Amino acid sequence: MPKDEPHDTGLRAAASDRGAALSGERGEDRAGGRTAEERGEAARRPGGARLRPLRRLSPLTRRILTVNMLALLIPVLGLLYLGPYRDSLIQQELQALRTQGEIFSGALGEGAVEVLENGDEALNLVPARHMIRRLSDPSAVRARLFDLDGAMVADSRQLGSVGAVVQVEELPPPGTADELVNPVIDFVGDVANLLDERRYEIYQDPLEPTVADFPEAQSALAGRIAERVRVEPDGDLILTVALPVQRYYQVRGALMLTKTGDKIEAAMRDVRLTIALIFAGALVITVLMSLYLAGTIARPIHRLAEAAERVRRTVGREDADIPDFSARDDEIGDLSAVLAEMTEALQRRLVEIERFAADVAHEIKNPLTSLRSAVETAARVKDTEQQKRLMSIIQDDVARLDRLISDISDASRLDAELSRSESHEVDLARMLSALGEMHEVTREEAEKNDGARGVPLCVRVEGEGPFTVRGSEDRLVQVFRNLIGNAVSFSPEDGAIRVQVRREGRTVSVEVEDDGPGVPEAKLEAIFDRFYTERPEAEKFGTHSGLGLSISKQIVEAHNGVIRAVNRSDERGRVLGARFQVSLPAAA
């Protein structure tokens, strides 16, 4: 039967004809699109958040660079704290200097000690000075010899006798100065020396030194080997080892060897230079990799933000080209895929809203037009019978409007209500059994009061459960009440309604069967559209709004389920009735 075809004749037919003339074609209502007021409101809509323009170094790029460079600076800070390595080098140099001193003192004890006429032994200064100078020349070590009285009697850097003005000074080795690297390395070394908690004694070199100027030489005259580390005023290290000159375990003088820390500083300098070069190379690689990483993150995100901004400005009125990064197989790819799905869902929802608004306008115009015609006609009609008929039409139209507005309100707030409501476990077998008992009690009471036979309902649970699903129990009850009420409307007087519940793997399936005329094959999908009505011929016009099955489908899909309609038929293909199947995911 065509949708909303009038069943009444006479005045209702005249009112409906006039309403059709006033309302026009339904397709024009749906295709009208947005009104001028809606377009003006969209044009006046505030711009919202301003999208940050893409810069060469975005904030995300700067953050990535900062984090990576901070991590890279950690080993560089070790340049300032090479104390243990420096200490080990100092100990190695002191040990080498001590070994060299033992050789010097042994040679002096054997070759520079003479026996005096009275039988005593003393240092012979002439051979001692020659031996000190010859032994110290190859090793770049300064050797000084003190007698038992504490006076310095030999110095490898002085020519001639002690006190001569001719003094040998070693020049630094020639080398190529790097004007860029050397100042940096020297600055790092100076800072490291300042941060060094150890404070060495300042080295003093008097013109005529004595044992009193060097505590380690005093220890050597007492028969002990002593070491001392000092620094020159410019910060260079001076290493000193003092040893006793003995013959037959008798101390005849003190030998003091002095050596600069040039090798130590050169080794430290090499280490710092190596670390600096490694840091420079790592810095270049880190910056390049950070820029590449930031580019692979910031630019795609910026493109997605621009696409989202276009969607926000157009509010789905235009097809938004969302960049597809799903091939990346990472979080940005997931984001692009989800954003594309969200945009598509938004566009579908907007189209559905526009269609829903057009459908609502069309459905409300028909009873309003009929109501207006009946009211205008009633004012001119004098016949009492005709006035009663007009008043009956007005009451029916008002009831139809009330029912229609209630169903529209329920459908419009359904999505928001389902999204806010908490999910609970619902036992479908128990719920449908309760609905079946209520139906039977109501049917039996109606038969007692009216004498008319009602349509019996049988609920059958197949197999073992559980038959629980997660969702809103009130809304699921609404779905199955709609299906059962729809089956009652189409069932013949001798028919019956059967409800079956069974578990199928991870889903719970419910089937509602009737013995009615079934559903036209071409309308098995259309019956779930809004405002679609396919009612029995004997039913009074306007009893249903055409939203019941649409709301049921909306509720089932909100529970991640599926609802569909099929016809029951026998072996010869004759339709025996309709069957509505609802499948819902079982609760974990």
Side-chain angles (χ1 to χ4, degrees), residues 70-95:
L70 284 177
L72 188 62
L73 286 175
I74 293 176
V76 176
L77 294 178
L79 289 172
L80 304 177
Y81 297 97
L82 294 175
Y85 177 66
R86 190 186 190 194
D87 291 341
S88 66
L89 293 178
I90 292 175
Q91 292 301 319
Q92 292 175 11
E93 288 294 317
L94 288 175
Q95 183 62 37

Side-chain angles (χ1 to χ4, degrees), residues 19-184:
L22 291 174
S23 61
E25 294 296 331
R26 180 174 182 178
E28 295 179 359
D29 288 341
R30 288 188 175 184
R34 295 180 302 147
T35 63
E37 290 79 4
E38 292 172 339
R39 289 192 295 270
E41 180 64 24
R44 292 189 299 269
R45 186 173 54 85
R50 186 179 298 276
L51 185 64
R52 188 189 301 272
L54 183 60
R55 292 175 287 184
R56 181 166 298 179
L57 283 181
S58 65
L60 180 60
T61 303
R62 292 197 295 269
R63 291 190 184 99
I64 293 176
L65 281 172
T66 302
V67 171
N68 290 340
M69 292 181 67
L70 284 177
L72 188 62
L73 286 175
I74 293 176
V76 176
L77 294 178
L79 289 172
L80 304 177
Y81 297 97
L82 294 175
Y85 177 66
R86 190 186 190 194
D87 291 341
S88 66
L89 293 178
I90 292 175
Q91 292 301 319
Q92 292 175 11
E93 288 294 317
L94 288 175
Q95 183 62 37
L97 193 61
R98 179 172 181 171
T99 301
Q100 191 175 5
E102 290 175 350
I103 296 174
F104 281 21
S105 63
L108 290 172
E110 293 296 331
V113 177
E114 63 177 354
V115 180
L116 300 179
E117 294 178 355
N118 58 3
D120 295 336
E121 295 181 346
L123 285 174
N124 189 341
L125 299 182
V126 175
R129 290 169 183 166
H130 288 293
M131 292 177 64
I132 285 177
R133 187 174 300 110
R134 293 295 183 183
L135 292 173
S136 61
D137 281 344
S139 58
V141 174
R142 183 180 182 182
R144 283 174 282 191
L145 183 63
F146 298 89
D147 61 13
L148 295 176
D149 296 331
M152 187 179 71
V153 295
D155 188 348
S156 63
R157 290 192 179 179
Q158 290 183 354
L159 299 178
S161 62
V162 177
V165 295
V166 180
Q167 185 170 346
V168 179
E169 293 288 345
E170 294 186 2
L171 297 176
T176 57
D178 193 328
E179 297 180 356
L180 179 62
V181 176
N182 284 346
V184 176

Side-chain angles (χ1 to χ4, degrees), residues 501-575:
V501 186
R502 61 177 175 272
R503 178 72 179 259
E504 297 178 349
R506 296 184 178 181
T507 62
V508 179
S509 178
V510 179
E511 294 183 351
V512 180
E513 298 180 351
D514 61 52
D515 298 329
V519 182
E521 291 294 332
K523 303 295 184 180
L524 289 175
E525 296 291 336
I527 60 175
F528 295 103
D529 293 341
R530 292 191 182 99
F531 305 109
Y532 179 87
T533 55
E534 189 77 30
R535 309 306 305 173
E537 295 183 357
E539 187 175 281
K540 185 178 180 181
F541 171 74
T543 305
H544 294 83
S545 63
L547 288 174
L549 290 179
S550 174
I551 292 176
S552 298
K553 181 180 180 182
Q554 192 175 357
I555 294 173
V556 171
E557 290 181 348
H559 287 76
N560 298 320
V562 178
I563 182 172
R564 65 191 187 101
V566 296
N567 286 321
R568 299 171 47 244
S569 58
D570 57 13
E571 297 178 354
R572 293 177 297 176
R574 184 169 57 91
V575 176

Side-chain angles (χ1 to χ4, degrees), residues 33 103 170 194 216 250 303 339 535 551:
I103 296 174
E170 294 186 2
L194 290 175
E216 62 270 30
Q250 295 294 321
R303 289 182 60 189
L339 186 59
R535 309 306 305 173
I551 292 176

